Amino acid sequence: MLESALTFSHTLLKQSIVLGDTVIDATVGNGGDTVLLAKLVGKQGKVYGFDVQEQALNTTKEKLLFTGLSEQVHLFQQGHETVGKVLGENEQISGAIFNLGYLPKSDKTVITKGETTLAALEALLPHLRKGALILLVVYYGHEGGEEEKEAVLTFAAQLPQTNYHVLQYNFINQKNQPPFLLAIEKK
Amino acid sequence: MLESALTFSHTLLKQSIVLGDTVIDATVGNGGDTVLLAKLVGKQGKVYGFDVQEQALNTTKEKLLFTGLSEQVHLFQQGHETVGKVLGENEQISGAIFNLGYLPKSDKTVITKGETTLAALEALLPHLRKGALILLVVYYGHEGGEEEKEAVLTFAAQLPQTNYHVLQYNFINQKNQPPFLLAIEKK
């Protein structure tokens, strides 16, 4: 009944993104979110997807091809901290999603890091249209995860409340460090 | 777009409670939640409502009369820590809601307290059917609020993960101590 952090991130995407929107998949990974975003924005919309791993992008390209969703998706084999260079100066986005940690069933030493995650967040903020959401599903049970978690939480908690709502959605009685969700909404 | 803790508590009640259910309004207050619960359970269902303040119960009785929902609601002018005496030994509930703090526009010295809140929670746990939710909207900006907040958080975080999911839904960048939501789900 209570949705997991991952499922709740999808619920929020479905509630906030409409046909024709421009959105960001900051960590393409196995392409699950990319496919969802591509469906939500439709052929009139745009999804910019980022991942440093070639394997991830190849898997995702195949998924998009099979589902007929390639047209609206632009994939970049580069870190999400470069998002500011990909977006046009005045380009507005309605959503962005990050899955922080490592790519499941892949090289566990390739992880997202606080420094580049914060750089991506800083670059995204000026592009948010009113009501836009940045969602971060934060996995932190792996080596290096705790540092990134702290960096992201500190950054998010300091965003001015006049411009942003920042929600943490977190299961607090579990020993196995399940991911939590951070949602940043532009007012 | 992101729902406040209060609105999200209502969303969860609407998702989880169906006609014929038995539910608890642990802090009747101005009766807003009582009316919602009475609608959700219908005439086949039962709402047990608790409040120590006569004024609160009178306002609520009037609201229920106007909306034709009196039949399924049983109000008790007593603290929610007595809930175990009101429920039948094997009576199962599908939901309970607490608004912790004081009654808006009323005597601010009459507040819920950690000790009695925990007593109520302890009494409710054995009555939860599978999938049942206990929701606590925790206001803590008033005198005494911080102690109750800590007591409730500590209690909830220690509930065994084999039997319960415990979610905290919390806006983390606001200076004015907005309420947060705790949701306890019986697995």
Side-chain angles (χ1 to χ4, degrees):
Chain A
M1 182 63 236
L2 290 176
E3 294 183 338
S4 70
L6 187 66
T7 306
F8 191 58
S9 77
H10 295 162
T11 297
L12 291 176
L13 290 176
K14 288 174 199 160
Q15 282 175 1
S16 60
I17 294 170
V18 297
L19 288 177
D21 279 356
T22 298
V23 297
I24 308 291
D25 189 346
T27 49
V28 166
N30 59 24
D33 287 350
T34 323
V35 166
L36 172 61
L37 292 171
K39 281 182 191 161
L40 292 172
V41 302
K43 291 208 188 303
Q44 313 99 297
K46 244 186 274 181
V47 181
Y48 295 119
F50 296 82
D51 208 294
V52 291
Q53 298 188 78
E54 196 181 357
Q55 179 208 331
L57 295 181
N58 288 340
T59 311
T60 300
K61 273 178 201 159
E62 224 169 79
K63 274 191 187 164
L64 292 167
L65 213 59
F66 283 141
T67 45
L69 295 163
S70 299
E71 201 180 315
Q72 60 266 46
V73 180
H74 308 270
L75 296 175
F76 298 88
Q77 194 188 336
Q78 54 200 56
H80 43 226
E81 68 279 9
T82 65
V83 65
K85 288 173 190 146
V86 167
L87 285 170
E89 197 183 345
N90 296 312
E91 201 166 2
Q92 296 269 292
I93 64 166
S94 65
I97 184 147
F98 293 72
N99 277 271
L100 301 181
Y102 56 83
L103 178 59
K105 297 179 204 159
S106 174
D107 183 354
K108 290 188 186 182
T109 65
V110 181
I111 58 171
T112 56
K113 291 190 179 137
E115 199 185 344
T116 39
T117 299
L118 294 198
L121 290 173
E122 292 274 20
L124 284 171
L125 292 180
H127 294 279
L128 300 179
R129 69 133 209 252
K130 194 173 143 64
L133 286 179
I134 300 179
L135 303 176
L136 302 111
V137 183
V138 185
Y139 296 80
Y140 59 97
H142 57 287
E143 206 177 315
E146 203 58 56
E147 289 91 317
E148 184 176 34
K149 170 190 158 188
E150 289 308 321
V152 169
L153 272 176
T154 305
F155 175 86
Q158 287 171 353
L159 287 171
Q161 69 182 62
T162 45
N163 299 325
Y164 305 96
H165 295 290
V166 180
L167 170 70
Q168 186 178 13
Y169 181 99
N170 190 18
F171 287 87
I172 61 170
N173 73 325
Q174 296 186 33
K175 295 201 172 77
N176 50 350
Q177 296 172 304
F180 65 85
L181 176 69
L182 269 184
I184 300 168
E185 179 181 39
K186 179 74 190 294
K187 281 189 177 178
Chain B
M1 186 60 238
L2 290 176
E3 294 182 337
S4 69
L6 187 66
T7 307
F8 191 59
S9 76
H10 295 161
T11 297
L12 291 176
L13 291 176
K14 288 174 199 161
Q15 283 174 1
S16 60
I17 294 170
V18 297
L19 289 176
D21 279 356
T22 298
V23 296
I24 309 292
D25 188 346
T27 49
V28 167
N30 59 24
D33 287 349
T34 323
V35 167
L36 172 61
L37 291 171
K39 282 183 190 161
L40 292 172
V41 302
K43 290 207 189 302
Q44 314 99 297
K46 244 186 273 177
V47 180
Y48 295 119
F50 296 81
D51 209 293
V52 291
Q53 297 187 79
E54 195 180 359
Q55 177 208 331
L57 294 180
N58 288 340
T59 310
T60 300
K61 271 179 202 158
E62 225 169 78
K63 273 191 188 164
L64 291 167
L65 213 59
F66 283 141
T67 45
L69 296 163
S70 299
E71 201 179 315
Q72 59 264 47
V73 180
H74 308 269
L75 295 175
F76 299 88
Q77 194 188 336
Q78 53 198 60
H80 43 226
E81 69 278 9
T82 65
V83 65
K85 287 174 192 149
V86 167
L87 284 170
E89 196 182 346
N90 296 314
E91 200 166 4
Q92 296 270 291
I93 64 166
S94 65
I97 185 148
F98 292 72
N99 276 272
L100 301 183
Y102 57 84
L103 178 59
K105 297 177 205 160
S106 174
D107 183 353
K108 291 190 186 182
T109 65
V110 181
I111 58 172
T112 57
K113 289 188 180 142
E115 198 184 345
T116 38
T117 301
L118 295 197
L121 290 173
E122 293 275 18
L124 285 171
L125 292 179
H127 293 279
L128 299 180
R129 68 132 207 252
K130 194 173 143 66
L133 285 179
I134 300 178
L135 303 176
L136 302 112
V137 182
V138 185
Y139 296 80
Y140 58 98
H142 57 286
E143 207 178 313
E146 203 58 56
E147 289 90 318
E148 184 176 36
K149 171 191 158 187
E150 289 308 320
V152 170
L153 272 177
T154 304
F155 174 85
Q158 287 171 354
L159 286 171
Q161 68 181 61
T162 45
N163 299 328
Y164 305 97
H165 295 291
V166 180
L167 170 70
Q168 186 179 14
Y169 181 99
N170 190 19
F171 287 87
I172 61 170
N173 72 325
Q174 297 186 35
K175 296 200 171 79
N176 49 349
Q177 297 172 303
F180 64 85
L181 175 69
L182 268 184
I184 300 169
E185 180 182 38
K186 178 77 188 292
K187 281 189 178 179

